[in-house]
Amino acid sequence: MTRQRMWRWAATSTRLVVGTALAVGIVGAVGVGVAANWPTHTHEPLAVGVTPTPADTVLACAGPLLALGRDATQADQIASAAPTATVSGSDGATLTQATEPSAPEVVGSDGHPVFAAPPVDATRSDAAASASGTVAAEDLRGFAASACQPPLIESWLVAGATTTGSADVILLSNPADVAATVDLTLYSATGASTPPSGRGLRVDAHTQRLVPLAALAVGEGAPVVRVTASGAPVAAALQSSLSRTLLTGGVEQSGAIVGSATQQVIPGVRVPQSAVDAASAGATTLLRLLSPGADATAAVTVQDDTGRTALTQEVPLGADLPTELDLAGLPAGAYTVRVEATSAVVSAVWQTTDFADGADFAWYTAAEPIVGPSVVAVADGPSPLLVVAGSTAGSADVVLTPLSGATDTERFRVAAGDTASVPVQPGAVYRIETSSPVRASVSYLADGAISAFPVWPADAAAAEIIVRP
């Protein structure tokens, strides 16, 4: 090997040895660095809590009692059969009232009332309104009372029928400044569907749109309708009326249910003695149930006003198929119906006075829990009762304070799972406060007159939302 080649070999070997040593050293240093307890720093994302500005409290009423098809030459015409009188009040700002028109136009009516109350000192005003009316005509007879309701994006109508003798109409009120688009999903004996006549319905701003229930389907004895709005929320209601051959069978205006739930409570169902006497002629008390989207089993419990269980029954429910249960054998009195289901359900109770000419009927819909102080307006009507159903989780101390139209404050306790009934003054407005959640309704009863509506709880204060820039 020449001296030059030996020199090259030695230089290359030296570089390899040095490079290997450096590599081993670097790897060792990295290993030591990884194993060492280096100081750490965790960067929390920026989060800002913001409380939304409270909006106006808005309540839309159903409007006058309606008659369909009175003019044989204009079968689709809708007319006012009788006006309704409203009672309203607020625990905050003064309510303002406006009258908004209907489409199609209701003959003999300027429209339906809408109430609004602005926030006070950045606090949402709590308000309530209700309406009632009586009609006595050859084709329509009865008494109806209903709560004026806030607009909702989704709600449920559990009432009415499209069988022979029924003349029912859906009322969609949009008190907002922009138009709403509404879809009506019908749940019937064949399941769920959205008929063309219930799809993409435009409800103009500050307008009430009227849709005959029979336009969705005919021959349905126990329909349920889901109301879904976009663009703006709507307040949905249903006026139902009934005639049996040439005998008038009553009229009712039923409000919407906020949403489905595994627990439903229907307080204030009043069974008159006339219904007990007429029970041999047919079912006088019916519970309508629907489990949307899933099979379910519902446990139904009926309690009287002393808390005693009057009836229990387990009911299988097919997905999207309305079911009616005959609550037979109930003696005259006031009842609370409780439903516990394995899947979310909606429910309501139908009650008639009898089957004779001049009979009336009511739809009792499920009530939402009252947690904070809420306002209830008692529309004029016969023998109104405030019926309060307690939670099964514990007792509640309830204070009923008059805001107008009455003078006496009522204080009472509702035991766990029990019910209390308090006579209230027609035309009065009350604040109801409770130490734990309760559900309540205002219920009316007289000869040939029956109706009810649930007490709407105050909207909870706007919760703080977290904004992450």
Side-chain angles (χ1 to χ4, degrees):
M1 178 181 298
T2 64
R3 183 182 300 275
Q4 185 177 9
R5 292 180 63 185
M6 291 178 63
W7 172 254
R8 288 176 180 174
W9 178 84
T12 301
S13 299
T14 301
R15 286 197 299 271
L16 289 172
V17 171
V18 173
T20 301
L22 286 172
V24 171
I26 291 170
V27 170
V30 170
V32 172
V34 169
N37 292 324
W38 290 84
T40 59
H41 174 71
T42 302
H43 177 69
E44 293 290 340
L46 181 62
V48 180
V50 178
T51 300
T53 302
D56 290 358
T57 298
V58 179
L59 304 169
C61 305
L65 299 180
L66 305 174
L68 281 67
R70 278 186 165 178
D71 188 342
T73 64
Q74 302 181 64
D76 59 347
Q77 186 183 82
I78 301 176
S80 172
T84 54
T86 59
V87 175
S88 62
S90 173
D91 210 5
T94 302
L95 283 170
T96 59
Q97 180 179 350
T99 299
E100 297 183 349
S102 299
E105 181 181 355
V106 174
V107 177
S109 171
D110 294 330
H112 68 289
V114 173
F115 295 89
V120 176
D121 297 331
T123 301
R124 188 179 178 91
S125 296
D126 186 18
S130 61
S132 62
T134 300
V135 59
E138 291 184 358
D139 60 340
L140 192 65
R141 185 183 299 271
F143 167 77
S146 61
C148 305
Q149 297 181 329
L152 302 169
I153 291 297
E154 181 182 86
S155 56
W156 296 80
L157 297 171
V158 188
T162 61
T163 50
T164 301
S166 300
D168 300 358
V169 59
I170 297 172
L171 316 171
L172 304 172
S173 302
N174 175 16
D177 294 330
V178 296
T181 300
V182 176
D183 288 328
L184 301 176
T185 303
L186 175 70
Y187 294 81
S188 65
T190 58
S193 65
T194 303
S197 56
R199 187 180 301 122
L201 302 177
R202 180 183 172 90
V203 185
D204 290 330
H206 301 290
T207 301
Q208 181 187 70
R209 180 160 181 172
L210 310 180
V211 182
L213 183 59
L216 304 182
V218 295
E220 293 296 336
V224 174
V225 178
R226 182 179 67 189
V227 181
T228 308
S230 60
V234 298
L238 176 72
Q239 179 184 301
S240 48
S241 60
L242 179 63
S243 61
R244 303 178 180 95
T245 313
L246 299 177
L247 305 179
T248 55
V251 64
E252 180 71 315
Q253 289 181 332
S254 309
I257 296 174
V258 174
S260 57
T262 56
Q263 182 186 70
Q264 299 260 284
V265 179
I266 307 172
V269 177
R270 296 171 76 173
V271 178
Q273 184 60 47
S274 57
V276 176
D277 297 339
S280 60
T284 61
T285 310
L286 292 170
L287 171 64
R288 185 175 298 182
L289 292 162
L290 170 72
S291 174
D295 293 339
T297 300
V300 178
T301 303
V302 182
Q303 297 172 307
D304 64 17
D305 54 3
T306 68
R308 183 185 65 87
T309 298
L311 183 151
T312 59
Q313 190 163 339
E314 199 168 86
V315 186
L317 303 175
D320 297 335
L321 299 174
T323 299
E324 285 195 331
L325 174 64
D326 183 2
L327 304 180
L330 296 177
Y335 297 90
T336 293
V337 178
R338 298 178 186 268
V339 179
E340 294 276 356
T342 57
S343 184
V345 297
V346 292
S347 60
V349 171
W350 178 84
Q351 176 67 55
T352 187
T353 57
D354 56 57
F355 299 106
D357 189 25
D360 197 15
F361 67 86
W363 278 104
Y364 299 86
T365 54
E368 290 295 302
I370 298 171
V371 179
S374 300
V375 176
V376 54
V378 182
D380 191 23
S383 305
L385 283 180
L386 177 70
V387 183
V388 181
S391 167
T392 56
S395 62
D397 294 314
V398 180
V399 179
L400 191 64
T401 305
L403 299 179
S404 65
T407 56
D408 295 333
T409 297
E410 298 279 355
R411 291 179 171 84
F412 53 94
R413 169 166 287 191
V414 184
D418 205 348
T419 302
S421 300
V422 179
V424 286
Q425 185 68 34
V429 178
Y430 298 86
R431 179 176 60 246
I432 181 171
E433 300 170 273
T434 176
S435 60
S436 62
V438 298
R439 304 175 195 241
S441 72
V442 178
S443 181
Y444 301 84
L445 180 62
D447 291 340
I450 188 171
S451 192
F453 57 84
V455 176
W456 280 73
D459 287 340
E464 184 178 76
I465 60 175
I466 302 301
V467 179
R468 303 186 188 277

